[in-house]
Amino acid sequence: MVPGERGRLVYLAAPRQVELMDFEVPRPGPGALVAIVSRANVCGSDLHIWNGLHPTVKRGAMGHEMVGRVHALGEGVETDFAGQPLAPGDRISVTYFQNCRKCRACRRGQFNLCENAYRHWVQPPERPPHFNATFGTHYYVHPDQYVYRVPDNVPDAVASFANCALSQVCYGADVAGVAAGETVVIQGAGGLGLSAIAVCKRRGARVIAIDGVPYRLEAARAFGADEIVDLRAAETPAARIKRVRALTDDWGADVGIEVSGVPAAFSEGVELVRPGGRFVSIGNISPGQTTPFDPGLLTRRQVQILPVIRYQPWYLYQALQLLSETIGRYPWDAMIDADFPLDAVEEALQKSASREVRRASLVMG
Ligand SMILES: [Zn+2]
Ligand SMILES: [Zn+2]
């Protein structure tokens, strides 16, 4: 590190109002490290915050997906969280939340529910170490964040979404216990959905993907979906339930995974799953949006509902390994379709919100 070195970060001053701020790059404290951000993606939840729709977060530093390089290591940091040696210049992926290991949730082994998950992220950016989010030139990785080296054969653009969507569905598949020979129905074929298809296929499951956007359906096939239910052909919940049952010997899928973010998909999903099956809720993350639900039907069908928020941090390692092993097999590089320099962050957010681009990536170098 050069003394007096400065970096820039994106600050959300008010809904839809971003500005670039400039701060001195801090030296990492014991157990921490400072990364140079190579790429940071615009994710749905970033847009949510940018639009002022987050229940509590209205301003602050932005960004959580990233891939970067080690810039400086704090005292005591010699390896990543898998024990692999770590040195300046190494490419890394990092959990975007903290795991304090001391709170009530962490003490029960539920690291994904850590009560201090966003302790640093919500700090005002003028407070050192400033770089607590990923839309910037640098990123301060605190001692309670799990960091892993990115396998050499995984390019930056592919590694950049490992710490969000892919890790979450790897965790979700384990929570549901997706097993070889089972049928999984996946509602939504965006970034989460395509990741879920790849994860479930690798576990030996048969996959039915539901979406209505042509390029997503095409991508679903490329990621290995065995069957497609096109929303344009099956317009009503009843039509989709009928179609999925027809594809599953008139029973329903063993597992359902909701990654559409549409509240009504929750009620529908319970009926896409067979009696005694499991239903994983991932996409709906905004409290306050309700949908009619039939609890009697749930009881009669004895479907287990398994919500999944964030992920246990070691799933990031698993996600990176999965990318490394399947890099030539699935079109992972097609997940990101638009690169922007940091200065064009506003354009990246606007074009993502208007869906002119599917997945924007800020490229810092
Ligand atoms: Zn994300
Ligand atoms: Zn905790």
Side-chain angles (χ1 to χ4, degrees):
M1 284 183 71
V2 185
E5 179 182 347
R6 299 187 75 81
R8 295 191 303 155
L9 60 82
V10 174
Y11 177 66
L12 181 73
R16 288 192 163 242
Q17 207 183 304
V18 288
E19 48 194 66
L20 281 160
M21 296 177 94
D22 182 285
F23 296 105
E24 187 168 326
V25 177
R27 288 198 166 276
L33 67 85
V34 170
I36 288 177
V37 181
S38 307
R39 274 176 180 271
N41 303 331
V42 177
C43 178
S45 53
D46 298 315
L47 293 174
H48 203 67
I49 293 167
W50 181 63
N51 277 317
L53 299 174
H54 192 281
T56 53
V57 181
K58 298 292 180 193
R59 56 183 62 78
M62 287 195 77
H64 60 281
E65 294 186 12
M66 69 83 81
V67 61
R69 302 189 300 281
V70 174
H71 190 42
L73 294 169
E75 192 194 318
V77 184
E78 287 167 5
T79 66
D80 69 3
F81 276 65
Q84 305 171 102
L86 215 48
D90 283 346
R91 294 190 309 139
I92 50 167
S93 177
V94 183
T95 58
Y96 59 85
F97 46 87
Q98 313 286 317
N99 287 115
C100 77
R101 301 184 282 275
K102 300 175 184 74
C103 73
R104 292 170 293 186
C106 284
R107 289 200 320 265
R108 284 161 178 79
Q110 296 173 317
F111 281 26
N112 57 316
L113 298 176
C114 176
E115 293 178 287
N116 297 303
Y118 298 131
R119 181 173 51 195
H120 301 292
W121 178 62
V122 295
Q123 297 298 319
E126 49 285 353
R127 189 178 299 169
H130 316 297
F131 298 89
N132 288 317
T134 63
F135 289 2
T137 53
H138 297 74
Y139 185 46
Y140 193 94
V141 180
H142 293 269
D144 289 342
Q145 280 174 280
Y146 280 50
V147 53
Y148 295 105
R149 269 172 60 171
V150 174
D152 291 342
N153 70 331
V154 180
D156 280 351
V158 173
S160 63
F161 50 81
N163 75 338
C164 187
L166 187 57
S167 294
Q168 203 181 356
V169 296
C170 283
Y171 177 47
D174 257 3
V175 168
V178 173
E182 289 194 309
T183 299
V184 182
V185 61
I186 298 171
Q187 298 167 285
L192 276 164
L194 297 174
S195 300
I197 294 169
V199 168
C200 292
K201 285 304 294 178
R202 194 151 164 278
R203 294 173 78 113
R206 170 178 174 244
V207 171
I208 304 170
I210 306 180
D211 206 293
V213 182
Y215 72 75
R216 287 183 173 190
L217 293 174
E218 207 174 295
R221 281 200 187 88
F223 274 89
D226 300 279
E227 310 281 355
I228 297 289
V229 176
D230 189 334
L231 291 172
R232 293 166 303 173
E235 285 185 359
T236 63
R240 294 189 283 275
I241 291 162
K242 194 175 160 203
R243 178 85 186 109
V244 169
R245 292 206 185 153
L247 291 168
T248 52
D249 197 21
D250 202 24
W251 204 30
D254 298 292
V255 177
I257 302 180
E258 186 283 308
V259 279
S260 67
V262 178
F266 178 83
S267 311
E268 183 181 324
V270 169
E271 287 199 74
L272 299 174
V273 171
R274 68 167 168 84
R278 296 94 76 198
F279 180 69
V280 184
S281 175
I282 294 183
N284 281 302
I285 52 161
S286 303
Q289 296 184 27
T290 58
T291 184
F293 185 73
D294 186 341
L297 187 79
L298 176 78
T299 309
R300 290 224 160 250
R301 297 176 61 75
Q302 205 186 307
V303 168
Q304 284 182 60
I305 295 181
L306 303 162
V308 167
I309 186 75
R310 298 194 285 275
Y311 52 89
Q312 299 267 31
W314 43 89
Y315 279 85
L316 175 55
Y317 178 76
Q318 197 185 107
L320 291 164
Q321 298 311 307
L322 180 129
L323 289 172
S324 177
E325 285 160 28
T326 61
I327 197 74
R329 194 151 129 215
Y330 301 128
W332 291 113
D333 53 351
M335 293 278 226
I336 309 283
D337 67 329
D339 291 350
F340 297 86
L342 185 62
D343 286 309
V345 60
E346 190 152 1
E347 188 190 351
L349 288 161
Q350 269 161 3
K351 287 193 170 167
S352 302
S354 65
R355 301 197 170 205
E356 270 175 78
V357 301
R358 305 203 292 270
R359 192 64 146 196
S361 191
L362 299 170
V363 184
M364 272 62 84

